[in-house]
């Protein structure tokens, strides 16, 4: 009987040691994978640093300055056009008209544009079904990822009729433009549009670019947030031209 118990004990110890060996093998494998990932990240960082070192920012600035040198009239014309379009958050049709204008302009520049379908509203938030759509413009297919994202919103806090009563006005002497939503944030939308187009046409961005135009930011982006979470997942950088107060 003692002999049998000893055999059972030795068998259990053997199984335990085999389990330990398996665990150690898994640990060794995991360590190798971690080391590979560290090497990959290090090489990636080194590559980025080398690219930055070799980048001639003065040349890039000169090329951008040259591209923008005659664009002010076109930028102001676009700004006037969309400021003079009512886009109160709760008026989906009006907000979507702005989306059609800005993505139409980007489509002419070769961007892949889309009016994205809305997500079903929560059962207790059915009013969200009355909001507008998110519009997008991409330099590459969706499968290529978002790359660098430019985000902005089309909606304003001004009810229908405000644009007609108080349209866009440019005071050159005061260097000031006024009109419903001119700052928050239709000027920012125009900035994103023209900057992305400049980078695309000059070939200065070697990763995809994605522009999104939200319909409900003034309400906290309730319908937009999950859509942007999908569309911009994995973005390398996100640029938002939402205005700040004077001085930042």
């Amino acid at each position: 009987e003692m002999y049998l118990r000893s055999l059972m004990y030795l068998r259990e110890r053997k199984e335990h040691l085999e389990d330990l060996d398996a665990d150690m093998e898994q640990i060794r494998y995991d360590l190798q994978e971690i080391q590979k990932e560290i090497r990959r990240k290090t090489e990636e960082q080194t590559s980025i640093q080398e690219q930055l070192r070799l980048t001639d920012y003065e040349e890039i600035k000169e090329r951008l300055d040259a591209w923008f040198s005659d664009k002010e009239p076109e930028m102001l014309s676009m700004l006037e056009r969309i400021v003079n379009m009512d886009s109160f958050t709760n008026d989906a049709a009006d907000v979507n008209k702005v989306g059609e204008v800005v993505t139409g302009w980007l489509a002419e520049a070769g961007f892949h544009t889309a009016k994205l379908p809305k997500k079903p509203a929560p059962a207790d938030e059915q009013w969200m079904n009355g909001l507008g759509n998110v519009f997008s413009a991409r330099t590459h297919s969706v499968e290529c990822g978002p790359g660098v994202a430019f985000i902005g919103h089309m909606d304003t806090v001004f009810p229908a009729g405000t644009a007609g009563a108080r349209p866009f006005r440019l005071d050159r002497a005061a260097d000031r433009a006024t009109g419903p939503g001119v700052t928050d944030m239709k000027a920012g939308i125009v900035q994103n549009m023209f900057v992305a187009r400049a980078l695309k046409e000059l070939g200065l961005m070697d990763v995809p670019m994605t522009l999104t135009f939200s319909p409900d930011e003034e309400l906290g982006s309730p319908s937009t947030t999950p859509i942007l979470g999908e569309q911009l997942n994995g973005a390398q950088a996100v640029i938002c031209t939402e205005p700040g107060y004077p001085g930042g």
Side-chain angles (χ1 to χ4, degrees), residues 52-81:
L52 290 173
R53 187 181 67 80
L54 296 175
T55 299
D56 188 338
Y57 292 104
E58 286 301 318
E59 179 186 348
I60 290 173
K61 182 179 182 302
E62 288 175 5
R63 293 177 66 189
L64 284 170
D65 286 345
W67 192 91
F68 275 102
S69 63
D70 62 351
K71 296 298 188 296
E72 183 180 282
E74 187 180 356
M75 294 178 76
L76 289 172
S77 176
M78 176 60 73
L79 180 58
E80 179 176 6
R81 182 178 180 185

Side-chain angles (χ1 to χ4, degrees), residues 48-152:
I48 292 172
Q49 290 173 341
E50 183 66 11
Q51 290 176 32
L52 290 173
R53 187 181 67 80
L54 296 175
T55 299
D56 188 338
Y57 292 104
E58 286 301 318
E59 179 186 348
I60 290 173
K61 182 179 182 302
E62 288 175 5
R63 293 177 66 189
L64 284 170
D65 286 345
W67 192 91
F68 275 102
S69 63
D70 62 351
K71 296 298 188 296
E72 183 180 282
E74 187 180 356
M75 294 178 76
L76 289 172
S77 176
M78 176 60 73
L79 180 58
E80 179 176 6
R81 182 178 180 185
I82 61 175
V83 167
N84 286 343
M85 298 174 68
D86 287 315
S87 55
F88 183 51
T89 308
N90 290 329
D91 296 333
D94 285 346
V95 175
N96 282 355
K97 287 176 184 176
V98 176
E100 289 163 3
V101 168
V102 298
T103 54
W105 185 86
L106 288 162
E108 291 175 0
F111 285 77
H112 308 285
T113 61
K115 175 184 176 182
L116 302 175
K118 292 188 281 189
K119 297 282 187 183
D124 58 344
E125 302 285 359
Q126 288 299 298
W127 60 270
M128 288 168 53
N129 288 321
L131 298 172
N133 294 71
V134 175
F135 285 74
S136 70
R138 294 173 177 266
T139 54
H140 295 63
S141 66
V142 174
E143 291 72 24
C144 293
V148 174
F150 297 79
I151 64 174

